[in-house]
Amino acid sequence: MSQQAGAYYIPHGSRWPIIAAVGLFTLMWGAAHWLDGIEPEGPILFFLGVAIIIFMKFGWFGEVIRESRSGVYSSQVDLSFRLGMMWFIFSEVMFFGAFFGALFYSRGLQVPWLAGEGHGALTNYYLFRGYTGGWPTAGPDAIGGPFKTVPPWGEPLLNTLLLLSSSVTITIAHHALRDGHRRRMLVFLAATPILGALFLWFQAHEYINAYTHLNLTLHSGIYGATFFLLTGFHGLHVTLGTIMLLVILYRTWRGHFSKEHHFAFEAVAWYWHFVDIVWLALFLFVYIM
């Protein structure tokens, strides 16, 4: 079926959505069996689902790239991509907003109630007598035992500087792309995933230190749960963002982008700036406060 010039491009007979659905179903089915201890079907199905999803991503994104470079996309399609990325980032804001909400609720309401403040006086008297609250805390039963928090002015501060620097490098690369300075663009774009990888390296070292020397683990009550939930999911987003940056670096090196048409570059830059902003909130509310 031919595509009219200037019309909104709609692919015909794409097989990738059904492959994605099969991959996700297989992954979740395997994960459920794995959690239930069903061996070896659980792990096999899980990793089979992961392999199907990776295959789908390479195939689907490759097809979109070929369509984009062939010139079939109109300005309406470009607007759809931009709106889609905006809504995706908004969903990520809500995702982290829920976890920050859990942190603020636990620290500002739940723990003080268990300590006897407000409407929790009877709970403290009958169930947790002597518990004085405070933050950080493992809860009234001191789940996981005594622990120490990660000092904010060590590796967390270093990671903050790394991510802030990466925001600068990708911004310089973006301006260089729009100005037509290819070499400058490649240098500063290459520096961005390197900074992201360094962030992940230091975060892994921080986790090892927390487990081995501070006794701060996922089992350290409400503080350990919220700490690793927030920082762990952020680390996952940095990992995905670093992979995206490497893909964009490869595509830039191959000459896929021009001064006028480079939304994929912009989308990754938006995502990376979002990841940086989330880290600043983490550094302030989890490490410092």
Side-chain angles (χ1 to χ4, degrees), residues 106-135 137 139-141:
S106 300
R107 186 169 66 186
L109 295 176
Q110 186 180 40
V111 169
W113 284 344
L114 294 179
E117 293 184 14
H119 298 290
L122 293 180
T123 300
N124 178 264
Y125 182 81
Y126 287 108
L127 298 180
F128 305 113
R129 187 177 300 182
Y131 177 62
T132 58
W135 191 266
T137 179
D141 292 330

